[in-house]
Amino acid sequence: MTTTFDINKIRDDFPILKQRINGNPLVYLDNGATSQKPQSVIDAIVNYYTTTNSNVHRGVHTMSQQATDGYEDARSKIRQFINADDDKEIIYTRNTTEGINLVAHSYGRQNVGPGDDIIVSNMEHHSNIVPWQMLCEEMGANLLVVPIDDTGELVMDEYEKMLSSRSKLVSITHVSNALGTILPAKQIVEMAHAHGAPVLLDGAQAVPHMPVDMNELDCDFYVFSGHKLFGPTGIGVLYGKKEYLEAMPPFLGGGEMIKSVTFEKTIYNDLPYKFEGGTPDIAGAIGLGAAIDYVNNLGFDQITAHEDELLRYGTEALSAIESLRIIGTAEHKAGILSFVIDKAHPHDIGTILDEQGIAVRTGHHCAQPVMARFQIPATARASLAFYNTKEDIDALVKGIDRVLEVFG
Ligand code: C6P
């Protein structure tokens, strides 16, 4: 069942949005960094700690079983949310970063050798660069970087040229956090598969904005963070195709990821627990499940329609400001408006906006190679969520007017 898209009612579900910051109503446009949480997510976490808190998969007592049920129900919700085939393919992690590191450490060390290639793009977050650099250094492999054009699109011809029998993994973002570009993920996967290379998609900035479907994309790994999807911090997801996960060695050794231990030999647990060593973030998983319920209830038809309209409105408004330049003008974009202004450093833009209660992110957005590509030190970035409004964009434009008054 999908509810009607009543923006005032939706905003009422997010208590933090009622705050005043520096004497002004909060205008929260930093959703790319982390999103706000609806009351239902906060309640799910409070309820868990108030009524159920126990360790999972360990006890026969009632609360332990209830905690296990909540934790595993959330896994099923995640599986349905991304249309994966099996709960075993859903591994809980702390965040996107940990998911990528898990694959680099486990799949990478097992499959990548001297002279092999790992392919990333010029618009990756540092989380999708550094683990591969570390792996390549250790294994004597090469990190190949697909270039991007002036609008922030991937140069597909160059990508095609890089693929070969040496390609051991393609690891590319689904949506760029610094530019907003939505990449042609399905095509990227098909092209890699034609050369026998598996693909990891970094979905950190995709899952809050659009439906993602593992069967449709046919990627081999997909990673995202709960906190950008209106869930809590400290919980993330690695999806992996069963045949890959089955063949991969564990990442962290310890409790939960074993079937039996002697000093002579340890038998590892089945999926997904093989990759979930130690006590997990149970409350985080349950909170993420509640966030997915919330998003499902709104439905992506309504979410993407609303955000597309906001993006169009914001792009038009910012483009009308003469000394402002939008960085990232790809045809298909998620709700991200990165910009620079002549004479005003992004940090000063962010500070002046903050004085007016407007939260944006400024800096390199953990994507320094993107900044290098566009020969800029940083940008100011307004990133949208479904609870944003045209009034938020109007406030941003008014805030930028103030920046222009100061830096004229
Ligand atoms: N980007 C931003 O402000 P973690 O920190 O592990 O939850 O997510 C890392 C990450 C990976 N990939 C992409 C595309 C991302 O956008 C992020 C996080 C935030 O853009 C914080 S740096």
Side-chain angles (χ1 to χ4, degrees):
M1 186 200 63
T2 307
T3 50
T4 51
F5 200 83
D6 177 344
I7 192 74
N8 292 324
K9 196 169 159 296
I10 289 167
R11 288 179 68 84
D12 275 348
D13 291 337
F14 291 78
I16 208 168
L17 297 178
K18 296 187 180 72
Q19 288 212 100
R20 295 181 77 81
I21 299 289
N22 297 324
N24 295 290
L26 168 65
V27 175
Y28 190 75
L29 293 170
D30 195 16
N31 297 286
T34 197
S35 59
Q36 299 305 344
K37 321 305 170 199
Q39 189 64 50
S40 58
V41 168
I42 299 167
D43 288 347
I45 296 165
V46 170
N47 183 51
Y48 168 75
Y49 280 122
T50 312
T51 65
T52 315
N53 178 48
S54 299
N55 216 326
V56 287
H57 306 135
R58 283 161 172 82
V60 293
H61 67 81
T62 301
M63 285 201 314
S64 171
Q65 286 177 13
Q66 286 168 345
T68 304
D69 287 348
Y71 182 73
E72 292 302 332
D73 284 353
R75 196 191 303 275
S76 297
K77 287 179 191 177
I78 295 163
R79 195 246 316 141
Q80 284 167 37
F81 182 67
I82 62 172
N83 195 29
D85 289 335
D86 195 327
D87 285 5
K88 291 188 172 73
E89 299 179 312
I90 307 298
I91 313 292
Y92 285 121
T93 62
R94 277 188 307 149
N95 47 36
T96 304
T97 304
E98 189 174 276
I100 298 171
N101 275 274
L102 191 160
V103 177
H105 191 92
S106 174
Y107 169 84
R109 284 191 173 167
Q110 191 180 49
N111 293 285
V112 178
D116 287 339
D117 296 337
I118 303 277
I119 300 179
V120 298
S121 86
N122 198 164
M123 63 181 128
E124 300 310 317
H125 186 280
H126 296 164
S127 294
N128 199 25
I129 299 173
V130 183
W132 306 119
Q133 261 174 343
M134 291 162 75
L135 178 73
C136 287
E137 208 165 297
E138 186 182 333
M139 309 312 276
N142 312 304
L143 189 66
L144 307 186
V145 182
V146 186
I148 53 178
D149 69 15
D150 290 342
T151 68
E153 305 267 19
L154 206 66
V155 183
M156 295 301 275
D157 291 351
E158 294 297 322
Y159 171 50
E160 176 68 65
K161 280 187 216 153
M162 280 175 193
L163 288 163
S164 75
S165 58
R166 288 186 310 278
S167 311
K168 283 289 144 57
L169 186 81
V170 174
S171 190
I172 281 193
T173 196
H174 195 175
V175 171
S176 156
N177 71 320
L179 303 168
T181 314
I182 301 172
L183 282 83
K186 196 172 155 59
Q187 197 186 344
I188 287 169
V189 172
E190 277 168 10
M191 288 165 70
H193 284 178
H195 291 267
V199 178
L200 181 152
L201 293 174
D202 172 354
Q205 299 290 347
V207 288
H209 303 294
M210 62 183 80
V212 299
D213 182 324
M214 294 306 105
N215 273 287
E216 155 90 9
L217 288 171
D218 196 32
C219 57
D220 305 283
F221 301 102
Y222 197 93
V223 287
F224 60 94
S225 300
H227 71 95
K228 295 188 205 280
L229 183 59
F230 316 100
T233 52
I235 189 81
V237 173
L238 161 67
Y239 157 82
K241 277 186 186 158
K242 219 172 8 182
E243 56 269 33
Y244 279 104
L245 294 176
E246 298 276 16
M248 283 160 51
F251 177 41
L252 298 175
E256 181 77 1
M257 51 74 70
I258 53 89
K259 269 189 179 151
S260 71
V261 178
T262 65
F263 282 111
E264 288 69 41
K265 184 161 175 63
T266 289
I267 311 284
Y268 301 136
N269 209 339
D270 296 328
L271 290 176
Y273 313 114
K274 182 171 80 169
F275 292 107
E276 292 182 358
T279 299
D281 184 353
I282 305 159
I286 290 170
L288 177 55
I292 287 174
D293 286 342
Y294 189 91
V295 170
N296 282 340
N297 196 34
L298 283 182
F300 273 113
D301 286 354
Q302 305 196 84
I303 291 174
T304 45
H306 177 72
E307 289 185 8
D308 283 352
E309 174 57 15
L310 282 186
L311 180 65
R312 191 202 56 72
Y313 185 76
T315 305
E316 209 172 287
L318 295 195
S319 304
I321 302 171
E322 209 174 299
S323 55
L324 183 148
R325 180 160 62 105
I326 295 177
I327 305 294
T329 51
E331 196 186 333
H332 299 294
K333 275 182 70 174
I336 284 175
L337 286 160
S338 248
F339 59 93
V340 291
I341 296 178
D342 295 345
K343 296 188 194 153
H345 190 279
H347 188 80
D348 294 324
I349 301 173
T351 306
I352 293 173
L353 292 177
D354 179 57
E355 283 165 7
Q356 299 163 80
I358 304 163
V360 297
R361 184 170 173 192
T362 60
H364 52 60
H365 315 296
C366 303
Q368 286 182 352
V370 174
M371 303 299 127
R373 165 65 181 79
F374 287 91
Q375 297 182 310
I376 48 176
T379 74
R381 182 190 69 179
S383 48
L384 307 171
F386 55 71
Y387 43 63
N388 287 122
T389 60
K390 285 191 177 168
E391 288 72 33
D392 290 341
I393 305 282
D394 294 341
L396 174 67
V397 172
K398 206 162 145 241
I400 293 171
D401 285 346
R402 176 78 194 118
V403 174
L404 297 176
E405 273 167 36
V406 175
F407 288 92

